[in-house]
Amino acid sequence: MKIAVLAVQGAFIEHERKLEVLGASCVELRKAEDLNQSYDGLVLPGGESTVQGKLLRELGMFDTIRKQIKKGLPVLATCAGMILLADSLEGDAMVHLQTVPMTVKRNAYGRQLGSFHTEAEFKGIGEIPMTFIRAPYVADVSDGVEVLAVVQDRIVAIRYGKQMALAFHPELDEDHRVHEEFLRMCGEK
C-alpha cells in the first residue's frame, strides 16, 4: 500500500516512519508533479495550517488534492491537517480545503505551554495516548460527521466518509492503532 504524505511543512517524517513500520510505503508530496503518481491514501500532518494552505496554493497542489479528497481518497489529518479540512474556522475567515462540514477552533488549548498528553477513548479502537501541541478542537459538526474522541468535553477526533481528522498527534506516541485504522480505511473499496 502506498501512502502520500504532504511534505511541504510540519511533522510529516514521524507519520512516514509509523506507516513504514506498519508495512506501507510512503511518497512525499512537495510539488504539483508529485500528485501525478497513484497512492492509496493521504496524510495531512501537523504544523502551521496557514503556511501549509498557502504553500498548497503556491505550489499548484491545492485544487488537485481537494478534488482527490472529494472523490473519496482516504485522509488522515492531524492538528493543522484538521484545520485544512474544516469548512469553517471559529473566529477566522481563512479556510482551506473545506472537505469536512465542521467548525474548528484553532490553537484552542493555548500556546506551546498549553500542550499536554492524556489518554482517552477512541471509538472502535479503545483507550489510546493523545499528545496535544497547540491543538485545535472541533467546535461543531454537521450531520454525517462521526465523533471518534472527546477530551475535556471537546471533540478531538472525527471521521467523515474516508476522512479522519485528529486534534492530537498519534505519530508522536508508541501506539500504532490510529495509523492501523487509517490503513484499514485505505484498503476499503
Side-chain angles (χ1 to χ4, degrees):
M1 186 170 301
K2 188 191 288 187
I3 305 299
V5 180
L6 183 64
V8 295
Q9 190 273 336
F12 56 89
I13 291 189
E14 292 83 353
H15 281 289
E16 291 174 13
R17 288 184 184 138
K18 186 148 292 210
L19 290 163
E20 287 167 353
V21 163
L22 295 172
S25 63
C26 295
V27 295
E28 294 183 350
L29 303 181
R30 295 181 178 275
K31 55 189 183 301
E33 300 82 58
D34 296 335
L35 300 171
N36 295 332
Q37 58 196 309
S38 67
Y39 37 86
D40 303 297
L42 170 66
V43 173
L44 298 175
E48 295 292 336
S49 60
T50 304
V51 173
Q52 290 179 5
K54 182 176 185 272
L55 288 172
L56 283 173
R57 288 173 176 93
E58 287 176 0
L59 296 169
M61 301 168 73
F62 185 90
D63 291 334
T64 301
I65 286 177
R66 187 167 192 264
K67 284 177 191 161
Q68 290 174 339
I69 294 170
K70 288 213 171 247
K71 282 181 156 178
L73 179 70
V75 180
L76 172 62
T78 59
C79 202
M82 172 186 267
I83 294 166
L84 291 178
L85 295 181
D87 70 355
S88 68
L89 302 175
E90 192 173 285
D92 191 342
M94 172 57 87
V95 288
H96 303 286
L97 297 168
Q98 295 183 283
T99 58
V100 178
M102 65 179 172
T103 301
V104 170
K105 180 167 175 52
R106 298 178 56 185
N107 296 329
Y109 293 98
R111 299 204 173 298
Q112 202 76 15
L113 295 175
S115 301
F116 67 98
H117 181 84
T118 191
E119 291 197 5
E121 190 70 22
F122 192 101
K123 186 175 182 179
I125 294 178
E127 190 167 285
I128 62 168
M130 298 179 180
T131 298
F132 294 83
I133 302 171
R134 290 181 57 217
Y137 68 77
V138 179
D140 186 51
V141 296
S142 296
D143 290 344
V145 178
E146 179 182 14
V147 175
L148 299 176
V150 175
V151 171
Q152 299 174 357
D153 297 322
R154 294 173 171 165
I155 300 168
V156 297
I158 62 91
R159 181 170 174 175
Y160 181 68
K162 291 198 172 202
Q163 299 173 74
M164 187 165 45
L166 319 172
F168 56 95
H169 292 270
E171 75 279 9
L172 299 179
D173 292 309
E174 295 299 314
D175 195 296
H176 296 306
R177 289 176 289 172
V178 168
H179 287 81
E180 288 170 350
E181 179 62 22
F182 171 59
L183 291 176
R184 265 192 296 280
M185 276 177 31
C186 293
E188 293 172 0
K189 295 298 175 203

